[in-house]
Amino acid sequence: YWTAGRFDKAEQLAASAAELDTRVLGEEHILTLEHRNLMALIHQNSGKLSLANQVVDDALARSVRLPGPDHDFTLNLLNTSAIVLVKQKRYPEAKLKIQEVLRLFEHPYGDHHESTLVMVQPFLFHVHFRSSTQILKDFGAVFTSVH
């Protein structure tokens, strides 16, 4: 439904999945958090940015406790949070989030590892509406400061 632009139906399905996961697996289980991340992305794509921010922040708080602050999924949630903040034009906060993602993701993999670059790609995609010069001006320090 999401790819067809039927965000209302996609939201319902993701919410149902997260609710079922919560009842069966618990609030901090990775599948529950994954569905909450999906809900945040659906809200973000449908323009419900404050709701997206709320959902991803809640999932992120749970993910930091379990599976842990440097787990791949927690980093994915941080990345989603940065994307939502960019959509809200909250660039300084987004910059801090992506710096944290890169810092944590580089630690196990290195700065040129495919996985590190994959984490950066969605973030850059979501700032496509800005000129490359402006992106480099605002976010260039993010990428050089973690090396």
Side-chain angles (χ1 to χ4, degrees):
Y1 293 103
W2 179 3
T3 57
R6 297 197 50 209
F7 298 117
D8 56 335
K9 188 67 173 167
E11 284 177 31
Q12 290 172 354
L13 289 173
S16 295
E19 182 181 320
L20 179 62
D21 289 343
T22 300
R23 280 197 315 248
V24 175
L25 303 170
E27 291 183 344
E28 295 179 349
H29 192 278
I30 197 147
L31 290 176
T32 305
L33 298 172
E34 188 173 330
H35 283 117
R36 296 211 186 280
N37 189 48
L38 178 61
M39 286 173 49
L41 289 168
I42 292 168
H43 292 318
Q44 180 251 313
N45 281 322
S46 65
K48 298 176 183 175
L49 300 177
S50 61
L51 187 54
N53 199 40
Q54 194 175 18
V55 170
V56 76
D57 283 350
D58 178 64
L60 188 55
R62 295 175 194 283
S63 185
V64 167
R65 288 191 304 267
L66 182 82
D70 57 352
H71 189 276
D72 287 356
F73 189 74
T74 304
L75 300 179
N76 190 35
L77 284 167
L78 273 170
N79 199 44
T80 298
S81 181
I83 291 167
V84 171
L85 290 169
V86 166
K87 287 287 192 174
Q88 292 176 315
K89 298 183 180 185
R90 294 167 57 187
Y91 302 119
E93 293 169 79
K95 182 178 178 178
L96 292 175
K97 296 269 182 166
I98 199 64
Q99 281 177 320
E100 184 70 4
V101 169
L102 290 173
R103 186 184 66 75
L104 290 169
F105 217 83
E106 278 185 329
H107 177 70
Y109 298 110
D111 60 348
H112 291 93
H113 189 275
E114 177 184 345
S115 297
T116 304
L117 299 174
V118 166
M119 287 303 287
V120 176
Q121 186 179 13
F123 177 75
L124 291 176
F125 175 78
H126 286 280
V127 294
H128 73 281
F129 59 89
R130 306 178 76 211
S131 73
S132 58
T133 304
Q134 188 63 39
I135 291 169
L136 289 173
K137 179 180 172 196
D138 289 348
F139 299 104
V142 172
F143 303 108
T144 58
S145 67
V146 294
H147 297 294

